[in-house]
């Protein structure tokens, strides 16, 4: 069975090579090839999973040695794979959800001229992520880590003809390079401390290393995790990544890239357990980020950016749990798996809505879509219930366990972390209910509303009233098409202008007709898109319950991630009741604000916090002030120092010698009379000096 491990990576890697190098002859069938190879990887993972179930618990770790990668004296790095319970969990999640996203993309990208290349990038992404979780040492993990970064850059910027997409891809790439530097430094420290990179040698030796060194390694690993998993302070790229096609958002935000940081921390648990300061930093980052993302999600009108902020928050829950050590490792991975189902389903549901709404992403221009997209409504709704922690669904079990673990941290720390997780649960219920109400309930705000009849103005001549009325109609009609989205707005403007140029036409009617031409016609997506959504909705409902039965999932991971039962200071039923109560509170507040009254088409100004949340709590402003502007000032100072001090010193020395040479050159002018005068003058000086000395 060990020989099958490499095929898990080889299948999507082969697909990427064929699709990206095979040329246009594969345009007609390339998408099916990419989907099939992703499915092959999932089938191989399932075969290995059932084989692993048949083995005793202590014999479930499989190794496959490929070749000696860097055989140098004193420096040995192998290309080898390690498949254990932790990596198997990720393999099934990555390949299973990844295959469904491939299938969904067949319909979503149907009319894209570069669909073959898109599927090549998807396959490359899967291969890199599988390499990351299957590597048996940190150096090979780093290769997969960088591969995921490259593939995400290509996918986020897939529509690079849009400046916003190109900028978002560059931003994600650069922010992640900061985290990647942390991983590189951690690997350097590991080699100088342990003399190896292999998990099987580094992790058991952690107890014998200096706590200071382990703290440094842990903090650098945390920095790497912050980059990939969009945690504070390296979270700014995540919202902009929504510029990529929606399947990319589902792939990156559900089961792959953003979970890499959680995998890295959990895999390195022995290092963090021996470095309490680094472990505390992990908990702090997770707690801050889960609230940061939730607050941002409450203010977003873009459906994809609201879900992206939700991802940031939910990954914060996982990071917090992983930072709690043995009482939280298994719960972090459990929530990661359930999140993979419901968040992928939510993003695919958002893509289905966009598919029927002319790619409109502003939820204020949705409303009442449940009547037109019943399958999307039901599947999205089940994902919504799962993420808010509705009792009985997957998110309820996994998130509730993290809240229990947070309270078990002990002392004031436990109460603070428990309170943060409960507040995050309330905010999650609020912003996700807001998304649900704005999208599927209420009035149909995407319909073009009739323009008000123009009011004639007083005229000085017979022809003037018609012209004035026409001008008034232009303004009315120009605003009428706004609810219909970008296409409707453009049509309204064109129609209004045309009508207004006449001398007595019906500008309102013309503008309205033009707006109607661009009005969305919401409809259900094709089966190739809805079937993956149904499968993911099924997982959103049942995954948590399956894991919760007999603590099977915890025992499954226990040989790899140590486990301790949480012991919160208050009874667990009380915590569960509080979790359900804050969830209902968040739902109720959202319903009071968005379910009982009409939703304005433009967002009101709002409070200072609301305005800040719309701008991602000023994270880009902070980065610009602290790093961009600071870097510019530093660069200008260095340029001034170079020109003034360095170049000034060099050029000044050269000028001094040049001036001295120019003056000395006048002495050697080649004229005999000058030399004779010099000789006479020198002789006169010598004679005068001699006479003076004798006189003295």
């Amino acid at each position: 069975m060990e020989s099958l491990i490499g095929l898990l990576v080889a299948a999507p890697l082969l697909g990427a090579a064929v699709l990206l190098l095979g040329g246009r002859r594969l345009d007609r069938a390339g998408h099916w090839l990419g989907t099939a190879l992703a499915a092959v990887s999932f089938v191989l993972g399932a075969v290995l999973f059932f084989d692993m179930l048949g083995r005793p618990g202590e014999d479930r770790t499989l190794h496959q040695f490929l070749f000696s990668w860097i055989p140098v004296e004193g420096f040995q790095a192998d290309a080898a794979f390690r498949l254990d319970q932790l990596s198997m969990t990720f393999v099934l999640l990555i390949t299973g959800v990844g295959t469904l996203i491939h299938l969904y993309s067949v319909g979503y990208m149907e009319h894209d001229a570069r669909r073959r290349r898109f599927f090549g990038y998807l396959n490359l992404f899967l291969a890199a992520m599988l390499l990351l979780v299957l590597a048996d040492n940190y150096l090979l993990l780093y290769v997969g880590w960088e591969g995921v970064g490259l593939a995400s850059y290509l996918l986020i910027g897939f529509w690079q003809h849009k400046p916003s997409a190109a900028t978002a891809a560059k931003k994600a790439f650069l922010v992640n390079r900061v985290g990647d530097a942390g991983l590189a430094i951690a690997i350097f420290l590991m080699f100088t401390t342990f003399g190896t990179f292999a998990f099987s040698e580094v992790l058991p030796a952690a107890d014998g290393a200096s706590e200071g060194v382990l703290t440094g390694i842990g903090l650098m690993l945390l920095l790497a995790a912050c980059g990939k998993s969009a945690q504070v302070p390296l979270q700014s790229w995540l919202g902009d990544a929504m510029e990529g096609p929606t399947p990319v958002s589902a792939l990156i935000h559900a089961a792959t890239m953003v979970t890499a940081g959680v995998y890295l921390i959990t895999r390195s648990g022995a290092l963090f357990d021996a470095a309490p300061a680094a472990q505390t930093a992990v908990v702090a980052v997770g707690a801050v980020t889960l609230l940061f993302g939730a607050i941002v999600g409450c203010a977003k009108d873009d459906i994809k950016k609201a879900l992206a902020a939700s991802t940031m928050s939910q990954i914060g829950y996982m990071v917090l749990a992983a930072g709690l050590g043995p009482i939280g490792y298994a719960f972090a991975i459990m929530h990661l798996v359930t999140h993979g189902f419901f968040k992928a389903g939510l993003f695919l549901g958002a893509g289905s809505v966009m598919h029927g709404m002319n790619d409109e992403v502003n939820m204020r221009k949705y409303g009442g879509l449940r009547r037109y997209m019943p399958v999307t409504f039901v599947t999205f709704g089940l994902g919504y219930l799962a993420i808010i922690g509705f009792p009985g669904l997957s998110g309820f079990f996994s998130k509730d366990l993290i809240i229990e673990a947070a309270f078990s941290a002990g002392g004031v720390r436990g109460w603070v972390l428990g309170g943060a997780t409960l507040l995050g649960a309330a905010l999650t219920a609020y912003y996700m209910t807001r998304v649900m109400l704005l999208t599927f309930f209420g009035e149909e705000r995407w319909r073009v509303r009739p323009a008000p009849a123009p009011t004639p103005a007083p005229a000085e001549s017979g022809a003037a009233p018609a012209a004035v009325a026409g001008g008034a109609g232009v303004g009315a009609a120009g605003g009428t098409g706004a609810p219909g989205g970008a296409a409707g707005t453009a049509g309204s403007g064109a129609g209004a202008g045309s009508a207004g140029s006449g001398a007595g036409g019906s500008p309102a009617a013309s503008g309205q007709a033009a707006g109607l031409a661009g009005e969305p016609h919401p409809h259900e997506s094709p089966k190739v898109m809805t079937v993956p959504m149904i499968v993911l909705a099924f997982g959103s409902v049942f995954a948590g319950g399956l894991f919760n039965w007999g603590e099977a999932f915890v025992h499954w991971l226990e040989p790899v991630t140590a486990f301790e039962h949480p012991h919160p200071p208050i009874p667990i039923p009380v915590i569960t009741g509080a979790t359900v109560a804050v969830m209902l509170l968040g739902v109720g507040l959202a319903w009071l604000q968005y379910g009982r009254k009409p939703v304005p088409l433009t967002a009101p100004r709002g409070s200072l916090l609301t305005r800040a949340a719309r701008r991602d709590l000023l994270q880009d402003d902070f980065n610009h002030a602290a790093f961009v502007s600071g870097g510019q000032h530093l660069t200008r100072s260095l340029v001034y120092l170079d020109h003034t001090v360095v170049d000034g010193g060099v050029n000044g020395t050269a000028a001094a010698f040049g001036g001295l040479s120019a003056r000395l050159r006048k002495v050697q002018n080649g004229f005999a009379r000058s030399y004779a005068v010099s000789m006479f003058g020198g002789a006169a000086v010598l004679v005068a000096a001699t006479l003076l000395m004798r006189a003295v």
Side-chain angles (χ1 to χ4, degrees):
M1 282 294 176
E2 289 84 350
S3 60
L4 296 180
I5 300 176
L7 296 179
L8 289 169
V9 181
L13 188 61
L14 174 64
V18 171
L19 292 174
L20 296 177
L21 302 176
R24 294 185 176 179
R25 64 179 66 89
L26 294 173
D27 282 354
R28 291 187 176 181
H31 48 286
W32 290 116
L33 175 63
T35 303
L37 288 172
V40 166
S41 191
F42 172 70
V43 171
L44 290 171
V47 170
L48 287 167
F49 171 69
F50 286 111
D51 175 73
M52 185 177 287
L53 286 179
R55 297 171 179 263
E58 65 278 2
D59 190 36
R60 285 179 172 173
T61 300
L62 304 179
H63 294 274
Q64 183 182 16
F65 174 81
L66 299 180
F67 55 89
S68 184
W69 181 18
I70 309 176
V72 181
E73 184 178 0
F75 184 91
Q76 183 72 29
D78 296 331
F81 294 135
R82 174 191 180 97
L83 184 65
D84 55 21
Q85 291 91 325
L86 179 61
S87 52
M88 174 58 76
T89 302
F90 276 84
V91 164
L92 293 177
L93 182 64
I94 293 166
T95 58
V97 175
T99 300
L100 292 174
I101 293 172
H102 274 70
L103 183 61
Y104 177 94
S105 301
V106 171
Y108 191 87
M109 302 294 289
E110 180 180 5
H111 302 294
D112 196 294
R114 300 166 65 238
R115 180 165 62 168
R116 169 184 54 82
R117 180 173 297 184
F118 179 78
F119 276 82
Y121 292 160
L122 287 182
N123 274 195
L124 179 63
F125 198 107
L126 284 190
M129 191 66 195
L130 288 169
L131 177 62
L132 190 159
V133 300
L134 288 171
D136 86 327
N137 60 78
Y138 284 98
L139 195 60
L140 188 60
L141 179 149
Y142 186 78
V143 176
W145 194 271
E146 291 298 319
V148 169
L150 171 62
S152 66
Y153 170 78
L154 296 172
L155 286 168
I156 294 171
F158 183 74
W159 289 327
Q160 71 267 26
H161 60 276
K162 301 191 322 185
S164 57
T167 301
K170 182 173 65 174
K171 183 178 182 180
F173 190 82
L174 292 176
V175 172
N176 273 274
R177 295 292 72 74
V178 178
D180 296 351
L183 181 56
I185 294 172
I187 294 174
F188 298 155
L189 291 173
M190 286 177 196
F191 184 75
T192 56
T193 303
F194 304 107
T196 180
F197 309 106
F199 298 144
S200 59
E201 298 178 42
V202 170
L203 300 179
D207 289 336
S210 164
E211 183 176 325
V213 173
L214 291 176
T215 299
I217 293 174
L219 291 177
M220 290 300 100
L221 291 176
L222 174 60
L223 181 63
C226 287
K228 276 291 181 288
S229 295
Q231 299 293 283
V232 173
L234 300 180
Q235 79 286 3
S236 62
W237 65 270
L238 195 67
D240 297 81
M242 297 300 98
E243 290 293 337
T246 301
V248 174
S249 303
L251 190 65
I252 289 177
H253 293 83
T256 54
M257 182 171 173
V258 294
T259 64
V262 181
Y263 170 80
L264 181 65
I265 295 172
T266 306
R267 173 64 76 185
S268 309
L271 298 175
F272 285 98
D273 291 341
Q279 206 167 48
T280 300
V282 174
V283 172
V285 166
V288 170
T289 307
L290 78 87
L291 295 177
F292 187 104
I295 292 171
V296 170
C298 291
K300 291 294 185 182
D301 290 332
D302 184 316
I303 187 170
K304 290 174 66 178
K305 290 190 176 183
L307 294 178
S310 168
T311 296
M312 187 190 307
S313 178
Q314 297 304 308
I315 298 293
Y317 272 101
M318 302 171 205
V319 171
L320 184 151
L324 295 173
I327 66 173
Y329 290 137
F331 300 155
I333 301 302
M334 181 186 294
H335 193 54
L336 185 150
V337 174
T338 60
H339 178 265
F341 284 108
F342 58 68
K343 184 51 64 66
L346 288 170
F347 267 111
L348 296 190
S352 179
V353 170
M354 293 169 58
H355 182 76
M357 292 293 292
N358 293 349
D359 289 329
E360 178 62 68
V361 295
N362 188 348
M363 294 183 292
R364 292 183 180 275
K365 298 178 182 179
Y366 291 167
L369 294 181
R370 69 186 187 279
R371 293 184 289 272
Y372 303 91
M373 304 178 179
V375 177
T376 300
F377 168 64
V378 172
T379 56
F380 193 98
L382 290 173
Y384 152 74
L385 292 174
I387 193 174
I388 68 173
F390 191 84
L393 277 73
S394 61
F396 168 77
F397 295 106
S398 57
K399 189 185 295 185
D400 190 66
L401 290 172
I402 292 177
I403 295 173
E404 293 173 14
F407 276 106
S408 302
V412 176
R413 180 191 187 205
W415 287 100
V416 170
L417 294 178
T421 55
L422 285 176
L423 177 58
L427 292 173
T428 301
Y430 172 82
Y431 67 71
M432 285 306 305
T433 303
R434 177 178 181 269
V435 170
M436 199 72 187
L437 292 174
L438 288 176
T439 303
F440 295 103
F441 293 89
E443 61 178 339
E444 299 173 356
R445 297 180 300 278
W446 43 272
R447 290 189 181 277
V448 177
R449 298 173 181 175
T455 302
E460 298 180 2
S461 65
V468 174
V474 173
T480 303
T489 303
S492 303
S498 175
S501 62
S506 178
S510 301
Q512 183 181 351
L516 287 171
E519 180 182 301
H521 298 283
H523 56 278
E524 191 56 86
S525 299
K527 288 185 178 180
V528 73
M529 295 171 64
T530 57
V531 168
M533 292 158 56
I534 293 171
V535 175
L536 291 170
F538 185 85
S540 300
V541 174
F542 295 106
L546 291 175
F547 293 153
N548 200 48
W549 289 343
E551 297 184 340
F553 189 73
V554 170
H555 292 310
W556 163 260
L557 288 177
E558 194 169 1
V560 183
T561 61
F563 176 70
E564 296 177 6
H565 282 281
H567 297 287
I570 51 180
I572 290 178
V574 174
I575 296 177
T576 302
T579 303
V580 174
V582 298
M583 179 268 293
L584 294 175
L585 176 63
V587 171
L589 289 176
W591 182 78
L592 288 175
Q593 187 171 357
Y594 296 98
R596 297 183 60 192
K597 60 182 79 170
V599 177
L601 294 176
T602 57
R605 179 174 174 81
S607 65
L608 180 63
L609 178 60
T610 300
R611 297 197 300 273
R614 288 176 187 151
R615 298 179 60 180
D616 301 323
L617 292 181
L618 309 181
Q619 55 184 336
D620 285 330
D621 301 80
F622 173 80
N623 290 339
H624 190 276
F627 301 109
V628 177
S629 297
Q632 289 174 343
H633 289 305
L634 177 61
T635 302
R636 290 170 186 153
S637 300
L638 292 175
V639 169
Y640 176 80
L641 179 67
D642 181 61
H643 288 171
T644 305
V645 180
V646 179
D647 288 351
V650 172
N651 295 336
T653 302
F657 278 99
L660 180 61
S661 300
R663 287 163 177 75
L664 291 176
R665 188 174 58 207
K666 294 180 180 180
V667 178
Q668 303 290 333
N669 56 17
F671 294 113
R673 60 179 179 271
S674 297
Y675 298 154
V677 171
S678 298
M679 292 170 64
F680 177 78
V685 171
L686 288 174
V687 170
T690 302
L691 293 175
L692 180 62
M693 291 177 66
R694 285 183 178 181
V696 174

